[in-house]
């Protein structure tokens, strides 16, 4: 699909990988709606790229539907959904105090990263399936943002890895399910990227993480993620696939 002129939704578009993707899609001519729980950040990005900002919690159906409808009123129904909103977590199953990890922490990460992504995707797909088909019968495309932690999660990453592994597992059935509507589904599994999240870590920790990447031995740039996300939109034969974007990194146990 050509990006030029189409409406796009970017969840988590107020920061990091989502912000870079919103900027790249706008540069390529998309009408971009930035959806984020952090409205201030969403507004900052949207103002910069001539897009629209919506306060949106992907775990809340009402809030999501309002944002999708608001974006459609501003730009027309979206043909592109970039699911990038997500949260991290690290928690030992058995804590230093000998107690079991709180179940709520596990449930929260699954709720945002996995269920929230599914929630945005199903609402987007229902609206997108009603649009006229483009070339090849294509109606739209969506991307999930997993992580290399879906495959080589580290100690304490049970919830995060399970949530991202869930996205990996959902990719093919979703692509098969939505094929009849001409909607493609692909997943990007990023390695270590230099986002505000990562920049909170002390400099030496960032350097040692960067050195663990075979090549190039540096953190990924959010623009590199955005480049791949945009490519997936434009390459109609990419479907039902998970792509690692990690400089050949394989995470160590800890
Ligand atoms: N940075 C990395 O190295 C890396 C690696 C692998 C995977 N990822 C994944 O990439 C995605 C983006 O990560 P990032 O590093 O850019 O993080 P980030 O914290 O900079 O951005 C995430 C954005 O999502 C928003 N968000 C969080 N919960 C939300 C919700 N319930 N509804 C709507 N918006 C919500 C936040 O407000 C924030 O703007 C996440 O899914 C993360 O798991 C990041």
């Amino acid at each position: 699909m050509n990006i030029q002129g189409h409406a796009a939704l970017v969840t988590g578009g107020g920061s990091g990988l989502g912000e870079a993707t919103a900027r790249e899609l706008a540069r390529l001519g998309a009408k971009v709606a930035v959806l984020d729980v952090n409205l201030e950040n969403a507004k900052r990005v949207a103002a910069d790229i001539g897009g629209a900002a919506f306060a949106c919690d992907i775990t809340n159906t009402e809030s999501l539907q309002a944002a999708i409808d608001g974006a459609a009123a501003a730009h027309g129904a979206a043909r592109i959904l970039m699911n990038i909103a997500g949260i991290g977590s690290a928690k030992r199953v058995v804590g230093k105090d000998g107690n079991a990890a709180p179940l709520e922490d596990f449930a929260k990460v699954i709720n945002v990263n996995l269920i929230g992504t599914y929630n945005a995707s199903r609402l987007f797909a229902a609206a997108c399936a009603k649009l006229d088909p483009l070339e090849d019968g294509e109606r739209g495309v969506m991307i999930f943002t997993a992580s290399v932690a879906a495959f080589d999660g580290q100690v304490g990453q049970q919830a995060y890895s399970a949530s991202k592994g869930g996205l990996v597992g959902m990719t093919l059935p979703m692509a098969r399910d939505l094929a009849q509507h001409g909607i493609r589904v692909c997943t990007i599994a990023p390695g270590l990227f230099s986002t505000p999240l990562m920049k909170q870590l002390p400099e030496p920790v960032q350097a040692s993480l960067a050195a663990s990447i075979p090549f190039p031995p540096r953190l990924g740039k959010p623009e590199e993620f955005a480049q791949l996300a945009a490519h997936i939109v434009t390459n109609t034969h990419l479907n039902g696939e998970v792509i690692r974007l990690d400089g050949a990194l394989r995470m160590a146990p800890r």
Side-chain angles (χ1 to χ4, degrees):
M1 181 196 305
N2 279 328
I3 289 172
Q4 176 71 38
H6 290 311
L9 309 171
V10 183
T11 76
S15 174
L17 303 184
E19 173 174 348
T21 303
R23 289 181 185 282
E24 178 68 356
L25 290 175
R27 190 184 71 79
L28 296 167
K31 294 177 278 185
V32 179
V34 181
L35 277 53
D36 206 297
V37 271
N38 187 327
L39 181 59
E40 205 179 307
N41 273 345
K43 279 185 172 162
R44 174 182 56 80
V45 175
D48 251 21
I49 63 175
F54 297 90
C56 168
D57 179 349
I58 57 169
T59 67
N60 180 309
T61 300
E62 225 171 86
S63 141
L64 249 176
Q65 192 65 67
I68 292 173
D69 291 347
H75 296 153
R79 290 194 185 269
I80 301 164
L81 169 64
M82 298 291 181
N83 284 297
I84 306 177
I87 56 172
S89 91
K91 196 134 265 178
R92 293 269 187 161
V93 183
V94 180
K96 285 204 171 92
D97 56 7
N99 292 329
L103 189 57
E104 304 79 59
D105 292 355
F106 188 91
K108 185 180 177 197
V109 176
I110 299 290
N111 197 31
V112 174
N113 292 357
L114 178 57
I115 300 178
T117 296
Y118 179 71
N119 205 15
S121 302
R122 74 189 180 96
L123 298 176
F124 162 81
C128 189
K130 296 185 181 77
L131 296 176
D132 290 336
L134 306 167
E135 195 186 339
D136 285 335
E138 186 178 22
R139 285 193 173 77
V141 53
M142 69 174 82
I143 288 173
F144 301 153
T145 305
S147 163
V148 294
F151 308 101
D152 25 272
Q154 299 188 293
V155 165
Q157 284 195 306
Q158 290 74 235
Y160 187 70
S161 293
S163 71
K164 298 302 190 180
L167 295 175
V168 167
M170 190 162 74
T171 306
L172 183 62
M174 195 90 154
R176 287 173 161 172
D177 186 321
L178 294 174
Q180 62 178 317
H181 302 293
I183 299 171
R184 292 183 294 119
V185 183
C186 278
T187 292
I188 302 175
L192 297 168
F193 277 71
S194 176
T195 65
L197 206 82
M198 196 66 80
K199 284 178 191 154
Q200 286 169 10
L201 295 173
E203 206 44 70
V205 177
Q206 287 189 47
S208 109
L209 285 172
S212 70
I213 303 172
F215 189 86
R218 59 162 171 80
L219 299 178
K221 300 173 187 167
E223 298 75 29
E224 292 170 321
F225 175 93
Q227 233 180 327
L228 177 57
H231 178 75
I232 291 170
V233 175
T234 59
N235 191 330
T236 312
H237 215 61
L238 265 173
N239 194 13
E241 186 55 90
V242 178
I243 304 168
R244 287 181 72 129
L245 185 65
D246 63 7
L249 171 71
R250 296 297 178 269
M251 299 293 285
R254 68 186 77 224

